[in-house]
Amino acid sequence: MPPLPAAGAKPRQLPQNILKQSGQPTPTLVESPSEVVTSPPDQSRKPKWNQSSYFAPRESNHPDSPSAAASGAKTPSELLRRLSLVDNDRPSTPEVRPQIAYPTLGLSGRLISATFCIPHALEFVSGRDWIIRQRRGTSTLFDAFAHLSDERNPWDHILVGWTGEIQPPDLARPRSSASHDPARTASLNKLAAQRIDKASAPIPLDSSNRTTHPAPTNNEPLRVTKSDRERLTKQLENADGSRTVPVWLSDPLRNETDDLVLKDQSRWRRYAEHQLYTLFHYKQNEPTDGRAEKKWWNDYQRMNVLFAERIIEVYQPGDVIWIHDYHLFLLPSLLRQRLPGAYIGFYLHIPFPSSEFLKCLPQRKEVLTGILGANITGFQTYSYSRHFSSCCTRILGFEASPAGVDAYGAHVAVDAFPIGIDASSIARIAHHDRRIDAKIARIREQYAGQKIIVGRDRLDSCRGVAQKLEGFEMFLERYPEWHEKVVLIQVTSPTSREEEKEDAGHKIANKISDLVAKINGTYGGLEWTPVFHFPQYLSREEYFALLRVADVGLITSVRDGMNTTSLEYVVCQKDTHGPVILSEFSGTAGSLTSAIHINPWDLGGVAAAINEALTMKPEAKAKMYYQMYQHVTINNVQLWSKTFLTRLLNNLISFDQSMATPPLDRTALLERYKKTKKRLFMFDYDGTLTPIVKDPQAAIPSDRIIRTVKSLAADPRNAVWIISGRDKDFLDEWMGHISELGLSAEHGSFMRPPMSNDWENLTEKADMSWQAEVLEVFQHYTERTPGSWIERKSVALTWHIRRSDPDFGAFMAREAKKHLERTVAKKFEVEVMNGKANLEVRPSFVNKGEIAKRLVEQRKPDLVFCAGDDFTDEDMFRSLRASDLAPESVFSVTVGASSKQTLASYHVLESTDIIASIAALNESNRTADGGSTLLVNLKHPMAVNVKR
């Protein structure tokens, strides 16, 4: 959506014979990326948020209430039009400040938004005020920032973003002084539209009135002093009631007073726009030697680090941080490491691919880990959020559900938040600007008797412009009755992507031009040109005029996040109710469910949809339109931002602190350890002493684990046991050489006391005839579940699905469990248990709780430390709770998040925390001041407090 051009420009025009206004100069289009907006000291000309959106400052002459707007309406259509004039984004009552609405969170009331680029393009002359221009693109996001900065919004908003590529002032731009002859321009454009070869679209030919700009380059270094940087920061502060904090991207400085040397400024975009954007839109780059990509990745990492440092400079406790889009994937985790208690939200504005595509990215783990530093992650559609959760499971191995991902000891909420537009402002401008009305009259005069199909896209291979033209060509072929009765006006604005801007062969632009020439040459004539292609930006007036005058809106994206053109089209069609033909691959398709959905790769389906839209009866069009209009006007950009922030804060307070498992109190453990003489330690193995791995045979203890456990067991005051689901052969091989260590295998089926090599079989007299039947069931499901296998222990049988597809493996495990519970469990005294990526069957009288109970009775300890991580370890925690031990003597610890449902009294985040705690206890025996060793920060760098 093109931003509002600044006054005083000499931009380029659409053809005069289409958009000419009698008695007024034609509103034109800036050919440069932006137009000058001067900066202070003139306070009336400071940067305004609306320079980066469509919308001028609000006026007070619109209706103040629905009743006032409806007064005098005579028809339903008029009533709808009048009601749309009400400024529905203005709350009837002031919103409650977040500090009052969420008192337990300790909010500061400040919101820090982090976006890749600030809404201003900058030109620089050393020692002088910066020239601040409007930046094109992402206008919907900039409108959201404007809303958050509005004085009526309860948040104190701060925007942090890169300066963008800084250009030297283009003082030497050649501007022709030749006079402008509108009549001559109109005649030339008319001639272009009627060329006999029919291969060209009517593009502007009046070069005498066009500002000729050389292609911008940023290869020449710019030197920016510290005073220059401070001057820009001051100019951007409190711009229109908001505060903008620029991020300076450059190579490292020796000290802060050094000059910044800005060279090859586009390098900061390259990894994001060459690698991430491409792959996230389901496209693959050609393979290379990887050297360039490695350099881009290093720049990408440094960029995110510089963003983190800049945010930390302005951060205050209680601030909420909202991070936007794929350029800043690493930023949430970087901030989490430096600000463990921060409230962080992340929103992705582009599609998120399936795990099969994301696996093609070499840095896939780093990207996912970076995002998981947030408290909540938002996406345009549910399918994108589902892809993200699936990637976290399949690539990182984290447990995920539709509600979120459990990672690094915390729950990261995942949800869909379809973005909207500033519908009320668009309606107010599009339907109450006389210049737009005049342009509409000229367009209708030019295309009298013809239906108008409008398309507006960026010059981007993901926007499906080629598919649109090919579908329109098939429409003309299959429905010849529409010849000379319909015209397609396609506006293609320059891309913002670095990869396609550097496309030396202009493949996309050439393909579109060839298709336009082919269609016009095949079906057009002297009296009729089927396709008018405008490869340029449009002014606000031209754009809204086209959307209002159109009979059909045609959007054929082959992959898109949220196509806002379709939403703007709906707002502009209040009077005519033109249908929307919308690609099912656009994120908007899930919002505009009543639109005509098409597969852009099905050209026949596109042709049929165009015919359906053109022949639709007025009643059907009105019904379709009212449903879309209601959605667009209610789900606007104001509601989107409010919903995301509300969901973030509600997610933080919804966590019941009374149900949270507190972190292990290491100080209390150390003090109790020093005072006691008879201590009992019980540890699970997998997930407690060693981390979970895909191959169970690879879960061998490290040297540090062996040394730590051996040192603990060497103290005669300590009884140390490993109580595991592993078989006795595995425990003998890896832990059996520690003679002071007691071992229990297969969840308590076998015991090997300390200082002994003999195992006691506690199930020797039990009936094991059930194993044959269970083995047959497991074999049945193994044959149907690729990657699964059966582990046959002495007593228990375990079916492993760790190497299988996570979703399919979990489904088959549920089916196998139901099967066993209906059959074997009813005939024998066995228990069917879900483990971590496995299903196990064992005698019901055998469990870790019985072993814990026996050891407590034998040892009668005055300190018990018991640690485990999964469902089977809950039996030990339950047994300890039922014992007669004093509560202050029992330290039952689960490995996992504080939100995990458990009978344990404490939690730690990872198995390394268990080892570190044991090592600290060992150290206390050797030092007089052991407490200082224990009180180190053992948290994972991604961990946060329980409010996450």
Side-chain angles (χ1 to χ4, degrees), residues 47-58:
K48 304 293 184 182
W49 277 112
N50 55 43
Q51 291 167 357
S52 299
S53 69
Y54 280 127
F55 313 121
R58 300 178 183 274

Side-chain angles (χ1 to χ4, degrees), residues 624-815:
M624 174 190 295
Y625 176 77
Y626 288 142
Q627 293 174 349
M628 294 189 295
Y629 183 84
Q630 183 180 26
H631 173 86
V632 172
T633 53
I634 293 176
N635 298 280
N636 53 27
V637 71
Q638 293 84 3
L639 182 64
W640 168 74
S641 59
K642 180 178 179 180
T643 301
F644 183 90
L645 293 170
T646 302
R647 175 76 169 84
L648 168 61
L649 299 177
N650 285 342
N651 184 65
L652 293 169
I653 66 169
S654 64
F655 186 76
D656 188 351
Q657 299 298 314
S658 64
M659 299 298 293
T661 305
L664 175 61
D665 189 341
R666 294 175 172 87
T667 302
L669 173 62
L670 178 61
E671 292 176 353
R672 188 72 183 177
Y673 184 83
K674 290 179 176 181
K675 295 177 181 178
T676 54
K677 304 299 182 183
K678 296 179 66 177
R679 310 160 186 148
L680 174 62
F681 292 86
M682 297 178 285
F683 302 102
D684 175 41
Y685 183 79
D686 290 285
T688 303
L689 293 179
T690 63
I692 296 292
V693 294
K694 272 192 172 294
D695 184 0
Q697 297 305 314
I700 59 177
S702 65
D703 290 341
R704 185 190 181 209
I705 293 173
I706 292 175
R707 289 196 307 269
T708 303
V709 172
K710 185 173 183 178
S711 177
L712 184 72
D715 190 332
R717 293 168 293 184
N718 299 339
V720 183
W721 284 78
I722 294 179
I723 305 174
S724 173
R726 294 279 188 167
D727 60 33
K728 60 183 188 297
D729 293 334
F730 181 92
L731 293 179
D732 258 338
E733 179 180 1
W734 294 106
M735 307 299 293
H737 63 283
I738 305 177
S739 58
E740 301 90 350
L741 184 64
L743 301 175
S744 176
E746 298 189 31
H747 301 290
S749 299
F750 297 90
M751 292 184 67
R752 197 203 78 170
M755 312 304 294
S756 171
N757 293 323
D758 299 327
W759 287 87
E760 178 186 358
N761 185 354
L762 303 181
T763 62
E764 187 174 5
K765 298 180 181 180
D767 179 11
M768 295 296 171
S769 60
W770 55 268
Q771 288 187 335
E773 192 168 341
V774 171
L775 188 63
E776 183 179 350
V777 174
F778 279 170
Q779 187 63 41
H780 171 83
Y781 284 93
T782 300
E783 293 171 357
R784 289 157 178 78
T785 311
S788 65
W789 80 97
I790 303 170
E791 180 185 6
R792 185 164 187 174
K793 304 175 184 178
S794 299
V795 174
L797 287 174
T798 305
W799 184 51
H800 293 275
I801 56 172
R802 194 168 295 171
R803 298 175 186 168
S804 304
D805 178 272
D807 294 330
F808 184 66
F811 169 76
M812 294 300 283
R814 290 193 296 270
E815 295 298 309

Side-chain angles (χ1 to χ4, degrees), residues 62-98:
H62 58 277
D64 292 325
S65 66
S67 59
S71 177
K74 297 180 180 180
T75 65
S77 296
E78 185 179 0
L79 177 61
L80 178 64
R81 184 184 66 81
R82 287 170 176 263
L83 287 175
S84 69
L85 302 180
V86 180
D87 192 1
N88 54 18
D89 65 334
R90 178 169 56 198
S92 56
T93 57
E95 294 188 51
V96 179
R97 295 190 66 81

Side-chain angles (χ1 to χ4, degrees), residues 87-236:
D87 192 1
N88 54 18
D89 65 334
R90 178 169 56 198
S92 56
T93 57
E95 294 188 51
V96 179
R97 295 190 66 81
Q99 304 96 307
I100 300 174
Y102 302 91
T104 60
L105 295 180
L107 297 174
S108 65
R110 303 198 324 163
L111 172 65
I112 301 175
S113 295
T115 186
F116 178 54
C117 286
I118 61 176
H120 313 292
L122 304 175
E123 290 189 4
F124 166 69
V125 178
S126 182
R128 294 169 52 185
D129 280 350
W130 292 74
I131 300 172
I132 301 176
R133 304 175 181 273
Q134 60 182 4
R135 182 182 300 278
R136 292 191 179 275
T138 60
S139 57
T140 298
L141 179 59
F142 294 160
D143 289 339
F145 294 153
H147 166 67
L148 293 171
S149 301
D150 191 285
E151 61 182 7
R152 293 169 293 182
N153 193 281
W155 291 97
D156 180 8
H157 185 235
I158 301 172
L159 178 64
V160 177
W162 178 40
T163 60
E165 291 88 348
I166 298 172
Q167 301 292 341
D170 200 354
L171 301 178
R173 286 177 180 168
R175 298 179 183 270
S176 173
S177 59
S179 61
H180 169 51
D181 184 356
R184 176 178 176 272
T185 302
S187 63
L188 288 173
N189 282 320
K190 183 175 182 180
L191 178 61
Q194 297 179 353
R195 287 181 60 182
I196 295 177
D197 63 8
K198 300 163 288 195
S200 63
I203 60 175
L205 298 178
D206 182 16
S207 60
S208 65
N209 193 42
R210 294 173 61 192
T211 304
T212 57
H213 294 175
T217 61
N218 52 34
N219 295 326
E220 297 182 3
L222 287 179
R223 186 173 295 275
V224 184
T225 66
K226 182 180 180 182
S227 61
D228 290 327
R229 303 195 296 269
E230 292 174 347
R231 186 180 302 108
L232 176 62
T233 301
K234 186 175 180 180
Q235 287 180 230
L236 294 177

Side-chain angles (χ1 to χ4, degrees), residues 871-893:
F871 176 79
T872 62
D873 301 312
E874 295 296 316
D875 292 329
M876 291 193 293
F877 303 149
R878 184 179 296 106
S879 175
L880 292 175
R881 283 185 174 235
S883 69
D884 296 329
L885 296 171
E888 62 272 14
S889 301
V890 178
F891 291 82
S892 55
V893 184

Side-chain angles (χ1 to χ4, degrees), residues 357-373:
F357 245 84
L358 190 65
K359 285 178 181 178
C360 300
L361 184 69
Q363 297 81 16
R364 57 190 182 270
K365 290 186 177 180
E366 291 86 345
V367 166
L368 290 173
T369 301
I371 299 173
L372 289 173

